[in-house]
Amino acid sequence: MKAICPGSFDPFTHGHLDIVARTASMFNEVVIGVGRNSAKNGLFAPEERVEMISEALAAELPGVAVQARLMDGLLVDYCAAHGIDIAVKGVRFAADFDYELQMAQMNRKLSGLDTVLLPTSSEYGYISSTLVRDIARFGGDISAFVPATVAARIAARD
């Protein structure tokens, strides 16, 4: 069975890595679908995020069959076109759950795509890409929140 972990991943955090690793333990193949979210003020272009995630996966999860791909349009259309059976989304707290549940129900109604809502591990529940971006923009140390390869890319932007 093939699963997708969709998101903007700007930047890719330890929380994201945890969800991807746990998803990879449950499914034969995992795709990280990097979406283009024009509503977010990002650090990296979508293509850069795909490269950054691929580097982090190679360093952090060697031998795990996960690939990062750029994703345009609706998640359900992408999944139908690429034979993906399940979407997996990490949830940190109630607001995440409320939003992701609504999306899961809409995706199910649109195409039959099922979604697994996976609670984040407690050690990563407070990490968000938005907070990491804010810390990085003001020169703070983000190394505890992101894989080393991601921290290096962020540092190189300064």
Side-chain angles (χ1 to χ4, degrees):
M1 195 170 260
K2 193 172 182 179
I4 188 168
C5 294
S8 53
F9 306 107
D10 189 25
F12 190 68
T13 69
H14 284 308
H16 295 133
L17 183 63
D18 175 62
I19 294 295
V20 169
R22 291 166 54 206
T23 301
S25 74
M26 294 183 263
F27 296 94
N28 298 336
E29 187 177 345
V30 178
V31 171
I32 300 176
V34 178
R36 299 177 195 267
N37 188 341
S38 60
K40 292 187 177 182
N41 184 17
L43 285 175
F44 296 96
E47 295 80 9
E48 290 177 294
R49 286 182 263 144
V50 169
E51 291 172 8
M52 181 172 47
I53 292 166
S54 297
E55 290 170 1
L57 294 174
E60 303 286 334
L61 298 175
V64 176
V66 178
Q67 47 188 255
R69 295 187 191 155
L70 196 56
M71 190 176 65
D72 283 313
L74 294 175
L75 175 63
V76 293
D77 293 339
Y78 184 88
C79 290
H82 293 89
I84 297 173
D85 309 294
I86 300 280
V88 178
K89 295 290 294 201
V91 292
R92 295 168 294 171
F93 40 77
D96 282 354
F97 179 82
D98 290 345
Y99 176 77
E100 295 300 346
L101 178 61
Q102 183 180 20
M103 292 296 291
Q105 291 169 335
M106 183 60 75
N107 288 339
R108 176 94 171 127
K109 181 69 174 174
L110 286 171
S111 73
L113 179 69
D114 275 321
T115 302
V116 171
L117 300 179
L118 192 58
T120 191
S121 295
S122 60
E123 64 265 34
Y124 305 120
Y126 64 95
I127 300 172
S128 75
S129 291
T130 301
L131 291 175
V132 170
R133 279 195 310 270
D134 289 345
I135 294 166
R137 280 193 179 108
F138 290 102
D141 181 8
I142 48 94
S143 61
F145 313 121
V146 298
T149 56
V150 173
R153 275 192 177 246
I154 292 171
R157 291 187 71 84
D158 292 336

PDB file of all heavy atoms in Angstrom, residues 130-151:
ATOM      1  N   THR A 130       6.350  27.303  11.134  1.00  0.00           N
ATOM      2  CA  THR A 130       6.185  28.749  11.299  1.00  0.00           C
ATOM      3  C   THR A 130       7.094  29.275  12.398  1.00  0.00           C
ATOM      4  O   THR A 130       7.788  30.286  12.216  1.00  0.00           O
ATOM      5  CB  THR A 130       4.715  29.084  11.623  1.00  0.00           C
ATOM      6  OG1 THR A 130       3.893  28.614  10.553  1.00  0.00           O
ATOM      7  CG2 THR A 130       4.510  30.579  11.802  1.00  0.00           C
ATOM      8  N   LEU A 131       7.109  28.601  13.550  1.00  0.00           N
ATOM      9  CA  LEU A 131       7.980  29.043  14.647  1.00  0.00           C
ATOM     10  C   LEU A 131       9.451  28.931  14.270  1.00  0.00           C
ATOM     11  O   LEU A 131      10.248  29.820  14.582  1.00  0.00           O
ATOM     12  CB  LEU A 131       7.693  28.242  15.914  1.00  0.00           C
ATOM     13  CG  LEU A 131       6.342  28.493  16.578  1.00  0.00           C
ATOM     14  CD1 LEU A 131       6.142  27.536  17.746  1.00  0.00           C
ATOM     15  CD2 LEU A 131       6.217  29.935  17.027  1.00  0.00           C
ATOM     16  N   VAL A 132       9.815  27.853  13.586  1.00  0.00           N
ATOM     17  CA  VAL A 132      11.205  27.672  13.165  1.00  0.00           C
ATOM     18  C   VAL A 132      11.608  28.785  12.194  1.00  0.00           C
ATOM     19  O   VAL A 132      12.695  29.359  12.308  1.00  0.00           O
ATOM     20  CB  VAL A 132      11.430  26.272  12.551  1.00  0.00           C
ATOM     21  CG1 VAL A 132      12.798  26.166  11.904  1.00  0.00           C
ATOM     22  CG2 VAL A 132      11.251  25.196  13.614  1.00  0.00           C
ATOM     23  N   ARG A 133      10.717  29.112  11.249  1.00  0.00           N
ATOM     24  CA  ARG A 133      11.009  30.216  10.313  1.00  0.00           C
ATOM     25  C   ARG A 133      11.225  31.522  11.066  1.00  0.00           C
ATOM     26  O   ARG A 133      12.147  32.280  10.771  1.00  0.00           O
ATOM     27  CB  ARG A 133       9.864  30.398   9.310  1.00  0.00           C
ATOM     28  CG  ARG A 133       9.874  29.444   8.158  1.00  0.00           C
ATOM     29  CD  ARG A 133       8.960  29.884   7.032  1.00  0.00           C
ATOM     30  NE  ARG A 133       7.612  30.226   7.439  1.00  0.00           N
ATOM     31  CZ  ARG A 133       6.596  29.381   7.504  1.00  0.00           C
ATOM     32  NH1 ARG A 133       6.768  28.103   7.199  1.00  0.00           N
ATOM     33  NH2 ARG A 133       5.400  29.797   7.860  1.00  0.00           N
ATOM     34  N   ASP A 134      10.360  31.791  12.046  1.00  0.00           N
ATOM     35  CA  ASP A 134      10.479  33.035  12.815  1.00  0.00           C
ATOM     36  C   ASP A 134      11.795  33.084  13.586  1.00  0.00           C
ATOM     37  O   ASP A 134      12.479  34.111  13.593  1.00  0.00           O
ATOM     38  CB  ASP A 134       9.298  33.197  13.776  1.00  0.00           C
ATOM     39  CG  ASP A 134       7.998  33.504  13.057  1.00  0.00           C
ATOM     40  OD1 ASP A 134       8.041  33.866  11.862  1.00  0.00           O
ATOM     41  OD2 ASP A 134       6.939  33.380  13.705  1.00  0.00           O
ATOM     42  N   ILE A 135      12.158  31.997  14.221  1.00  0.00           N
ATOM     43  CA  ILE A 135      13.421  31.945  14.969  1.00  0.00           C
ATOM     44  C   ILE A 135      14.594  32.162  14.020  1.00  0.00           C
ATOM     45  O   ILE A 135      15.509  32.942  14.299  1.00  0.00           O
ATOM     46  CB  ILE A 135      13.549  30.608  15.732  1.00  0.00           C
ATOM     47  CG1 ILE A 135      12.485  30.523  16.826  1.00  0.00           C
ATOM     48  CG2 ILE A 135      14.948  30.452  16.324  1.00  0.00           C
ATOM     49  CD1 ILE A 135      12.301  29.124  17.398  1.00  0.00           C
ATOM     50  N   ALA A 136      14.559  31.493  12.871  1.00  0.00           N
ATOM     51  CA  ALA A 136      15.642  31.612  11.882  1.00  0.00           C
ATOM     52  C   ALA A 136      15.750  33.039  11.342  1.00  0.00           C
ATOM     53  O   ALA A 136      16.862  33.554  11.178  1.00  0.00           O
ATOM     54  CB  ALA A 136      15.421  30.625  10.739  1.00  0.00           C
ATOM     55  N   ARG A 137      14.624  33.672  11.085  1.00  0.00           N
ATOM     56  CA  ARG A 137      14.638  35.038  10.537  1.00  0.00           C
ATOM     57  C   ARG A 137      15.313  36.033  11.476  1.00  0.00           C
ATOM     58  O   ARG A 137      15.868  37.033  11.052  1.00  0.00           O
ATOM     59  CB  ARG A 137      13.214  35.497  10.236  1.00  0.00           C
ATOM     60  CG  ARG A 137      12.687  34.951   8.938  1.00  0.00           C
ATOM     61  CD  ARG A 137      11.406  35.658   8.501  1.00  0.00           C
ATOM     62  NE  ARG A 137      10.960  35.104   7.242  1.00  0.00           N
ATOM     63  CZ  ARG A 137       9.892  34.326   7.104  1.00  0.00           C
ATOM     64  NH1 ARG A 137       9.131  34.032   8.130  1.00  0.00           N
ATOM     65  NH2 ARG A 137       9.572  33.850   5.920  1.00  0.00           N
ATOM     66  N   PHE A 138      15.238  35.744  12.781  1.00  0.00           N
ATOM     67  CA  PHE A 138      15.847  36.641  13.764  1.00  0.00           C
ATOM     68  C   PHE A 138      17.195  36.135  14.267  1.00  0.00           C
ATOM     69  O   PHE A 138      17.704  36.593  15.278  1.00  0.00           O
ATOM     70  CB  PHE A 138      14.880  36.885  14.930  1.00  0.00           C
ATOM     71  CG  PHE A 138      13.704  37.732  14.532  1.00  0.00           C
ATOM     72  CD1 PHE A 138      12.471  37.153  14.283  1.00  0.00           C
ATOM     73  CD2 PHE A 138      13.847  39.101  14.371  1.00  0.00           C
ATOM     74  CE1 PHE A 138      11.387  37.933  13.900  1.00  0.00           C
ATOM     75  CE2 PHE A 138      12.767  39.886  13.989  1.00  0.00           C
ATOM     76  CZ  PHE A 138      11.532  39.300  13.752  1.00  0.00           C
ATOM     77  N   GLY A 139      17.762  35.157  13.549  1.00  0.00           N
ATOM     78  CA  GLY A 139      19.108  34.690  13.851  1.00  0.00           C
ATOM     79  C   GLY A 139      19.209  33.722  15.013  1.00  0.00           C
ATOM     80  O   GLY A 139      20.308  33.465  15.501  1.00  0.00           O
ATOM     81  N   GLY A 140      18.081  33.172  15.447  1.00  0.00           N
ATOM     82  CA  GLY A 140      18.107  32.217  16.556  1.00  0.00           C
ATOM     83  C   GLY A 140      18.603  30.848  16.123  1.00  0.00           C
ATOM     84  O   GLY A 140      18.666  30.524  14.933  1.00  0.00           O
ATOM     85  N   ASP A 141      18.952  30.033  17.097  1.00  0.00           N
ATOM     86  CA  ASP A 141      19.464  28.685  16.865  1.00  0.00           C
ATOM     87  C   ASP A 141      18.301  27.719  16.666  1.00  0.00           C
ATOM     88  O   ASP A 141      17.530  27.464  17.589  1.00  0.00           O
ATOM     89  CB  ASP A 141      20.328  28.254  18.051  1.00  0.00           C
ATOM     90  CG  ASP A 141      20.931  26.877  17.885  1.00  0.00           C
ATOM     91  OD1 ASP A 141      20.822  26.289  16.776  1.00  0.00           O
ATOM     92  OD2 ASP A 141      21.509  26.373  18.866  1.00  0.00           O
ATOM     93  N   ILE A 142      18.168  27.171  15.471  1.00  0.00           N
ATOM     94  CA  ILE A 142      17.072  26.244  15.163  1.00  0.00           C
ATOM     95  C   ILE A 142      17.551  24.784  15.084  1.00  0.00           C
ATOM     96  O   ILE A 142      16.783  23.897  14.736  1.00  0.00           O
ATOM     97  CB  ILE A 142      16.370  26.659  13.851  1.00  0.00           C
ATOM     98  CG1 ILE A 142      17.363  26.950  12.705  1.00  0.00           C
ATOM     99  CG2 ILE A 142      15.532  27.888  14.046  1.00  0.00           C
ATOM    100  CD1 ILE A 142      17.615  25.798  11.845  1.00  0.00           C
ATOM    101  N   SER A 143      18.797  24.537  15.455  1.00  0.00           N
ATOM    102  CA  SER A 143      19.381  23.200  15.277  1.00  0.00           C
ATOM    103  C   SER A 143      18.661  22.110  16.071  1.00  0.00           C
ATOM    104  O   SER A 143      18.697  20.947  15.664  1.00  0.00           O
ATOM    105  CB  SER A 143      20.866  23.218  15.630  1.00  0.00           C
ATOM    106  OG  SER A 143      21.062  23.583  16.980  1.00  0.00           O
ATOM    107  N   ALA A 144      17.992  22.442  17.148  1.00  0.00           N
ATOM    108  CA  ALA A 144      17.270  21.434  17.940  1.00  0.00           C
ATOM    109  C   ALA A 144      15.945  21.042  17.290  1.00  0.00           C
ATOM    110  O   ALA A 144      15.328  20.052  17.695  1.00  0.00           O
ATOM    111  CB  ALA A 144      17.016  21.958  19.348  1.00  0.00           C
ATOM    112  N   PHE A 145      15.503  21.793  16.288  1.00  0.00           N
ATOM    113  CA  PHE A 145      14.168  21.599  15.731  1.00  0.00           C
ATOM    114  C   PHE A 145      14.144  20.996  14.341  1.00  0.00           C
ATOM    115  O   PHE A 145      13.088  20.564  13.872  1.00  0.00           O
ATOM    116  CB  PHE A 145      13.425  22.943  15.699  1.00  0.00           C
ATOM    117  CG  PHE A 145      13.530  23.704  16.993  1.00  0.00           C
ATOM    118  CD1 PHE A 145      14.090  24.966  17.013  1.00  0.00           C
ATOM    119  CD2 PHE A 145      13.104  23.149  18.185  1.00  0.00           C
ATOM    120  CE1 PHE A 145      14.200  25.671  18.200  1.00  0.00           C
ATOM    121  CE2 PHE A 145      13.218  23.840  19.377  1.00  0.00           C
ATOM    122  CZ  PHE A 145      13.762  25.103  19.395  1.00  0.00           C
ATOM    123  N   VAL A 146      15.298  20.999  13.660  1.00  0.00           N
ATOM    124  CA  VAL A 146      15.360  20.526  12.273  1.00  0.00           C
ATOM    125  C   VAL A 146      16.554  19.594  12.093  1.00  0.00           C
ATOM    126  O   VAL A 146      17.539  19.691  12.836  1.00  0.00           O
ATOM    127  CB  VAL A 146      15.462  21.703  11.273  1.00  0.00           C
ATOM    128  CG1 VAL A 146      14.235  22.606  11.347  1.00  0.00           C
ATOM    129  CG2 VAL A 146      16.724  22.507  11.481  1.00  0.00           C
ATOM    130  N   PRO A 147      16.492  18.695  11.095  1.00  0.00           N
ATOM    131  CA  PRO A 147      17.673  17.873  10.793  1.00  0.00           C
ATOM    132  C   PRO A 147      18.873  18.758  10.447  1.00  0.00           C
ATOM    133  O   PRO A 147      18.713  19.887   9.972  1.00  0.00           O
ATOM    134  CB  PRO A 147      17.225  17.046   9.585  1.00  0.00           C
ATOM    135  CG  PRO A 147      15.726  16.995   9.698  1.00  0.00           C
ATOM    136  CD  PRO A 147      15.333  18.334  10.264  1.00  0.00           C
ATOM    137  N   ALA A 148      20.072  18.244  10.675  1.00  0.00           N
ATOM    138  CA  ALA A 148      21.306  19.014  10.452  1.00  0.00           C
ATOM    139  C   ALA A 148      21.417  19.537   9.025  1.00  0.00           C
ATOM    140  O   ALA A 148      21.861  20.664   8.812  1.00  0.00           O
ATOM    141  CB  ALA A 148      22.520  18.156  10.800  1.00  0.00           C
ATOM    142  N   THR A 149      20.988  18.751   8.046  1.00  0.00           N
ATOM    143  CA  THR A 149      21.075  19.199   6.654  1.00  0.00           C
ATOM    144  C   THR A 149      20.160  20.393   6.400  1.00  0.00           C
ATOM    145  O   THR A 149      20.493  21.276   5.611  1.00  0.00           O
ATOM    146  CB  THR A 149      20.725  18.055   5.682  1.00  0.00           C
ATOM    147  OG1 THR A 149      19.419  17.546   6.018  1.00  0.00           O
ATOM    148  CG2 THR A 149      21.747  16.932   5.751  1.00  0.00           C
ATOM    149  N   VAL A 150      19.028  20.428   7.072  1.00  0.00           N
ATOM    150  CA  VAL A 150      18.086  21.542   6.938  1.00  0.00           C
ATOM    151  C   VAL A 150      18.674  22.774   7.629  1.00  0.00           C
ATOM    152  O   VAL A 150      18.638  23.885   7.078  1.00  0.00           O
ATOM    153  CB  VAL A 150      16.710  21.183   7.520  1.00  0.00           C
ATOM    154  CG1 VAL A 150      15.782  22.387   7.542  1.00  0.00           C
ATOM    155  CG2 VAL A 150      16.093  20.031   6.735  1.00  0.00           C
ATOM    156  N   ALA A 151      19.222  22.593   8.820  1.00  0.00           N
ATOM    157  CA  ALA A 151      19.853  23.717   9.546  1.00  0.00           C
ATOM    158  C   ALA A 151      20.961  24.344   8.701  1.00  0.00           C
ATOM    159  O   ALA A 151      21.091  25.564   8.645  1.00  0.00           O
ATOM    160  CB  ALA A 151      20.395  23.252  10.890  1.00  0.00           C
TER     161      ALA A 151
END
